[in-house]
Amino acid sequence: MIRAVLFDIDNTLILYDEFEFFRQYIPRASAVFADIIPPESFADTIISATQKMMQNDGSLKNRELFLSFFCGDRPDLREDLWERFIEFYRTGFPALQDMVTAPPGIQEVFSRLQQLDIILGAASNPIWPEEVQEMRISWSGINADVFSYITHIENMSYCKPREEYYYEISRHLQVPPEECLMVGNDRINDLAAGRAGMKTYLTTDSDSIEESSLALSRRIRKHSSAGEFPADFTGSLSGVTGVLERLVR
Ligand SMILES: [Mg+2]
């Protein structure tokens, strides 16, 4: 029986061209760090630090690992650089909402899940601060408060597609993996939940932008040895309710 549903955010709860998103994100963010990191090397610096963070083996929180690589030989700058990220996410980042749409039927899905008393988790790769995860959820028209747990860079020590990531969120939700359904658009990152014992639902709403959208995700996880996993269910986000009605009985 399924008691909890976990949702990926990017191209699951909000739809957008990820490549175009980062094409706009990188120059805006790099301007904030221009006095320390040459803007022309900012993209490589942040992607490289993110790739290393995604290898986190649970020994420390993702934020600590990210900052140690992002700051390189200037550890004294850690808190300054972190504050700059947070300030940028409050001021420059919200404009990117213009690129985002919500998948059809999302409000009905969440209304029904709440009626069914399903525990909800937001299982976006924990490479962003909490407020950025919450902001991106709100862009979908869903209130972030409906989620019992939202994974982010400061509360997780693993990233997708490691199965330990799924054990970690399962522990926080206090629901065993076998009673969780993971919903997401990514055949590797999200369907890896199946290896941890969760049921999986592959969403198809982003299929029209999938190729360009996933190019950056692929680049970021190029060192990952994870393969693809089969989905238990496949369909649009609006189809989650029908599957769940069967699984909760
Ligand atoms: Mg996604």
Side-chain angles (χ1 to χ4, degrees), residues 15 47 57 150 173 184 203 244:
L15 308 177
I47 287 173
D57 62 0
I150 298 172
L173 287 168
T203 57
L244 202 66

Side-chain angles (χ1 to χ4, degrees), residues 16-54:
Y16 63 94
D17 183 323
E18 190 183 314
F19 186 79
E20 179 60 23
F21 189 90
F22 278 88
R23 206 178 65 79
Q24 296 202 26
Y25 166 85
I26 292 292
R28 289 169 199 236
S30 67
V32 175
F33 300 92
D35 57 319
I36 299 174
I37 301 170
E40 62 274 17
S41 61
F42 179 82
D44 285 343
T45 303
I46 193 169
I47 287 173
S48 167
T50 304
Q51 284 173 334
K52 285 169 178 151
M53 170 173 58
M54 291 178 77

Side-chain angles (χ1 to χ4, degrees), residues 45-74:
T45 303
I46 193 169
I47 287 173
S48 167
T50 304
Q51 284 173 334
K52 285 169 178 151
M53 170 173 58
M54 291 178 77
Q55 309 301 311
N56 197 352
D57 62 0
S59 50
L60 66 179
K61 295 291 188 229
N62 288 342
R63 186 192 93 121
E64 308 316 314
L65 200 58
F66 172 78
L67 284 176
S68 67
F69 288 111
F70 187 73
C71 299
D73 56 4
R74 294 292 311 274

Side-chain angles (χ1 to χ4, degrees), residues 8 10-12 185 190:
D8 169 53
D10 297 305
N11 276 315
T12 300
N185 70 304
D190 299 324

Side-chain angles (χ1 to χ4, degrees), residues 62-106:
N62 288 342
R63 186 192 93 121
E64 308 316 314
L65 200 58
F66 172 78
L67 284 176
S68 67
F69 288 111
F70 187 73
C71 299
D73 56 4
R74 294 292 311 274
D76 53 309
L77 293 175
R78 286 169 67 105
E79 293 312 313
D80 175 16
L81 294 181
W82 179 252
E83 284 307 314
R84 292 188 194 207
F85 270 118
I86 296 299
E87 180 61 18
F88 168 68
Y89 290 133
R90 285 188 186 132
T91 54
F93 192 80
L96 297 175
Q97 180 181 1
D98 290 349
M99 308 179 61
V100 164
T101 59
I106 186 171

Side-chain angles (χ1 to χ4, degrees), residues 82 86 89 127-134 152-154:
W82 179 252
I86 296 299
Y89 290 133
I127 62 178
W128 301 96
E130 181 175 21
E131 58 192 69
V132 179
Q133 304 288 50
E134 291 179 351
H152 58 78
I153 196 168
E154 292 184 88

